[in-house]
Amino acid sequence: MSLVIAVGSSKFVLFCGEQRKNYESGETEENFKKVIRLSDTCIMGITGTTNDLWPITNHLLVNENQVRNGIQKQTYKEIDDELHLAFDEITKCIEDDPDPDEFNFFITIGGFDAGKMRIDAYAHSGGKSVQEHFTMKKEDELNYITMSNDAKHEMNFIKYVNSMPEKTILNFKNAFKDTVEKGMKFDKTINNNYTFEVIRRKDVE
């Protein structure tokens, strides 16, 4: 699988990802970006099968390294509306197909919409479609989304976070690095080639 973790607070949104891409042939690519900054207000994280992701992300990306023209100027809500519509269309096609192929994808976006932190996640795996939506309601509230098929990654991340003296961006980055280093001992589908993207609330330095 892969490992991407999104952290949302009232002051910032941080996406952390590793970069190993695994092919059915057994070959790997070690620099595949799974965390992409779409605009000044929105970051996207992706995991799963590339061919399954593409029908949903192709209106946002040319490839994993290039955002389509015009996306950078869209608001968070506009980006989420497009993503939500594409997700609804592809999941309806899957549900209407009497013999559908096995789809496996997980897409999460996070950022700020009118000054409020949001995280929105869309996934299809194991024959089920799932959506999760978080909006910051309290100043000290934290939200996490872990994009991985192995629950041990999330357990290791939360354990590190709970031991942190301060909930800072640097400490969350270190929590992710520690999670990957531990995870590589039992999960051969990830690497320690890290990607981090962060968006701070405009009134926060």
Side-chain angles (χ1 to χ4, degrees), residues 48-60:
T49 305
T50 305
N51 289 342
D52 296 345
L53 287 160
W54 185 242
I56 301 176
T57 61
N58 68 355
H59 67 291
L60 299 173

Side-chain angles (χ1 to χ4, degrees), residues 135-153:
T135 301
M136 185 58 59
K137 296 180 175 64
K138 299 178 182 178
E139 186 68 18
D140 58 350
E141 184 180 358
L142 287 168
N143 285 299
Y144 312 104
I145 291 281
T146 302
M147 302 162 62
S148 172
N149 278 343
D150 197 318
K152 291 195 290 291
H153 292 307

Side-chain angles (χ1 to χ4, degrees), residues 1-2 19-32 34 50 188-191:
M1 181 55 170
S2 298
Q19 296 190 64
R20 175 168 289 168
K21 182 177 180 180
N22 300 277
Y23 294 91
E24 291 183 0
S25 64
E27 297 180 348
T28 60
E29 182 180 336
E30 303 299 334
N31 295 287
F32 183 84
K34 302 168 187 175
T50 305
K188 303 304 181 185
T189 70
I190 65 174
N191 67 10

Side-chain angles (χ1 to χ4, degrees), residues 5-199:
I5 296 178
V7 180
S9 79
S10 62
K11 296 181 180 180
F12 65 85
V13 171
L14 169 68
F15 275 58
C16 315
E18 50 80 33
Q19 296 190 64
R20 175 168 289 168
K21 182 177 180 180
N22 300 277
Y23 294 91
E24 291 183 0
S25 64
E27 297 180 348
T28 60
E29 182 180 336
E30 303 299 334
N31 295 287
F32 183 84
K33 287 184 67 176
K34 302 168 187 175
V35 173
I36 305 113
R37 189 184 188 95
L38 297 176
S39 71
D40 289 340
T41 61
C42 187
I43 304 168
M44 181 169 67
I46 56 174
T47 66
T49 305
T50 305
N51 289 342
D52 296 345
L53 287 160
W54 185 242
I56 301 176
T57 61
N58 68 355
H59 67 291
L60 299 173
L61 304 174
V62 176
N63 55 51
E64 76 274 12
N65 294 306
Q66 185 176 354
V67 178
R68 289 197 181 279
N69 289 335
I71 297 298
Q72 298 94 332
K73 296 180 181 180
Q74 290 187 337
T75 65
Y76 183 98
K77 185 178 185 304
E78 289 171 335
I79 292 173
D80 182 53
D81 285 347
E82 288 191 33
L83 188 61
H84 200 159
L85 179 61
F87 176 79
D88 286 345
E89 289 177 347
I90 193 67
T91 52
K92 187 177 187 306
C93 290
I94 296 170
E95 291 166 0
D96 290 345
D97 190 334
D99 187 25
D101 293 331
E102 177 60 34
F103 273 71
N104 178 38
F105 63 80
F106 202 145
I107 304 167
T108 299
I109 60 171
F112 286 87
D113 180 22
K116 290 186 178 181
M117 189 284 298
R118 282 181 55 179
I119 294 179
D120 298 274
Y122 304 92
H124 189 93
S125 184
K128 295 181 180 180
S129 297
V130 179
Q131 298 182 39
E132 292 188 86
H133 306 279
F134 299 103
T135 301
M136 185 58 59
K137 296 180 175 64
K138 299 178 182 178
E139 186 68 18
D140 58 350
E141 184 180 358
L142 287 168
N143 285 299
Y144 312 104
I145 291 281
T146 302
M147 302 162 62
S148 172
N149 278 343
D150 197 318
K152 291 195 290 291
H153 292 307
E154 183 171 24
M155 291 171 57
N156 287 335
F157 182 76
I158 297 300
K159 183 177 180 180
Y160 190 103
V161 168
N162 288 339
S163 71
M164 294 183 340
E166 293 182 279
K167 303 299 189 286
T168 64
I169 292 171
L170 177 60
N171 284 342
F172 279 116
K173 288 181 178 180
N174 288 336
F176 183 77
K177 291 178 180 179
D178 182 78
T179 299
V180 169
E181 293 301 324
K182 287 184 171 68
M184 288 175 62
K185 295 176 182 178
F186 61 83
D187 185 351
K188 303 304 181 185
T189 70
I190 65 174
N191 67 10
N192 56 0
N193 193 3
Y194 308 113
T195 305
F196 300 105
E197 288 286 353
V198 64
I199 295 176

